[in-house]
Amino acid sequence: MSKSTCTVTINGKKIKANVGDTLIDAGLGGRLVIPHDCCSGQCETCRVRVLDGEIDDLGTREKDTVLGCISVLTGDAEISYDPVPIVKTARGIVDSIREVKKDYLEVRIRVARPVTWLAGQYLRATFAGYPPRDYSPTTPLNLDAEQDIIVFHIKVYPDSAVSSQLGTGIAKGHSVKLHGPFGNAFLRRQPEPIILTSTGTGFAPIWSIAVAASMGQPGRDIRIIAGARTRDGLYMRDAVRWLRNRGIAISLTASDGDDETVLSARPQDLVGDVTPDHVIYSAGAPAHVEAMRELARESGATFYADPFYVAEEDRGVLALAGALLRKAATPFTSAPAR
């Protein structure tokens, strides 16, 4: 007779579970919440480390990690996950909306109380009267950070339910609810060299990681590749100057690049040699993130993913061409949610 129950140890706590339970369900059964969000294998929030035992990863394994929302127990096992800020809800108002380049906005939210997040995580933002969207809080492009301000980079799409309303239906003083943080692609304190890659406004989490690593982990080798569909999508010039002034290598690329100041290759084709010692963070279009995931697998590098997906209600002709929003379908290579 096959074994129907087992023991799973999660961050040192032993929990009785059923064979066939997902790791998240097993944790919940023992009143232990493994960080998670989408529960469909897209957001990567629930990626955990397998220390020992019997787990069917159902194709989600990367090195010694698996997705907790999909992987199931087949026997006794031990897993662990990195401590992250507790998911909370905070309220705030739109403090400012600034165009940093045509169709690219820096939106600042003033919150009633500080919101804790790790560089590379994301928050769910609900502007009053509009559907929720997932955005990565980031460092201001000019580095004028304020304690009670959350900064988002948002690409405007004319047919979208939310971004098209920024500056009109959604203006300064508009109420906002923030929920989170979520995501597994956050900066860890590791000595290995970092490669950061992004497409479109996937630069937001990559920029926050780069600043945090540069300021908090001095001496750590950092290399950045930021891509966009066209040069018009390279909105991060202020950030580029700051990075280069600190000696951090950053390459910009777009399909219409001149191969001088802006390259024309795909971001994943510019990575160069990757070894098992590298740590790679990739954010933006699913196609780009998956290409980087495969590169990391082939090289044995540690990989953290933040793919952005299209919101169902925004999937018009223009949206399919580029309105990349988190958590739904999978088009081309350009950027976050929103």
Side-chain angles (χ1 to χ4, degrees):
M1 182 176 177
S2 61
K3 184 178 180 181
S4 60
T5 62
C6 60
T7 300
V8 57
T9 304
I10 305 176
N11 281 9
K13 180 180 179 180
K14 292 185 180 296
I15 295 170
K16 287 294 183 184
N18 296 314
V19 169
D21 281 350
T22 67
L23 302 184
I24 286 180
D25 287 342
L28 291 173
R31 297 186 177 182
L32 194 157
V33 180
I34 295 173
H36 63 279
D37 181 21
C38 74
C39 288
S40 63
Q42 293 184 352
C43 73
E44 302 265 340
T45 300
C46 65
R47 189 164 287 281
V48 299
R49 185 167 294 105
V50 178
L51 304 178
D52 191 26
E54 302 176 47
I55 291 174
D56 184 349
D57 63 85
L58 294 173
T60 68
R61 184 177 293 271
E62 291 176 7
K63 298 187 81 169
D64 61 349
T65 70
V66 301
L67 292 182
C69 68
I70 292 177
S71 302
V72 297
L73 293 164
T74 56
D76 296 342
E78 182 176 4
I79 64 173
S80 68
Y81 59 86
D82 296 313
V84 293
I86 296 173
V87 172
K88 294 182 178 180
T89 298
R91 298 194 177 271
I93 60 170
V94 175
D95 186 75
S96 66
I97 300 174
R98 179 174 73 96
E99 186 175 72
V100 294
K101 199 165 186 180
K102 181 174 171 53
D103 293 332
Y104 287 86
L105 305 176
E106 183 179 78
V107 178
R108 301 192 180 205
I109 309 298
R110 186 171 295 279
V111 290
R113 63 170 186 266
V115 175
T116 302
W117 53 278
L118 301 176
Q121 290 191 294
Y122 65 90
L123 300 171
R124 181 154 300 121
T126 305
F127 295 93
Y130 296 88
R133 290 289 181 267
D134 293 345
Y135 300 121
S136 299
T138 190
T139 306
L141 289 169
N142 57 8
L143 281 92
D144 61 336
E146 297 179 55
Q147 182 178 5
D148 296 332
I149 293 287
I150 297 294
V151 177
F152 297 130
H153 296 169
I154 300 178
K155 171 74 168 73
V156 177
Y157 294 99
D159 292 344
S160 72
V162 178
S163 69
S164 66
Q165 298 302 306
L166 290 167
T168 54
I170 301 171
K172 183 173 181 176
H174 199 100
S175 296
V176 187
K177 181 175 69 175
L178 301 177
H179 187 63
F182 304 104
N184 185 256
F186 55 84
L187 179 67
R188 276 83 168 170
R189 185 164 291 280
Q190 299 162 314
E192 294 86 357
I194 307 176
I195 298 174
L196 305 172
T197 75
S198 68
T199 59
T201 49
F203 184 73
I206 292 306
W207 166 234
S208 69
I209 290 171
V211 172
S214 175
M215 304 285 279
Q217 302 176 13
R220 190 172 183 186
D221 183 67
I222 304 170
R223 186 153 51 99
I224 305 171
I225 302 167
R229 285 180 176 276
T230 67
R231 283 178 290 182
D232 289 340
L234 296 172
Y235 68 90
M236 67 290 291
R237 297 307 178 104
D238 289 345
V240 171
R241 281 191 289 271
W242 185 88
L243 292 164
R244 287 177 175 164
N245 285 340
R246 294 184 68 87
I248 296 173
I250 176 168
S251 299
L252 302 179
T253 187
S255 59
D256 59 352
D258 56 13
D259 285 321
E260 294 180 7
T261 58
V262 177
L263 302 174
S264 59
R266 297 177 303 175
Q268 58 266 30
D269 294 334
L270 298 173
V271 173
D273 293 335
V274 179
T275 72
D277 291 333
H278 280 97
V279 178
I280 301 174
Y281 291 84
S282 294
H288 166 68
V289 171
E290 289 309 306
M292 289 301 303
R293 189 193 304 276
E294 186 58 31
L295 189 155
R297 282 175 176 159
E298 291 174 356
S299 63
T302 299
F303 183 67
Y304 298 110
D306 187 10
F308 294 177
Y309 292 92
V310 177
E312 289 291 345
E313 64 269 27
D314 289 345
R315 295 178 65 196
V317 173
L318 182 60
L320 287 174
L324 292 173
L325 303 169
R326 229 190 279 262
K327 311 282 181 287
T330 309
F332 163 67
T333 56
S334 205
R338 342 314 195 179

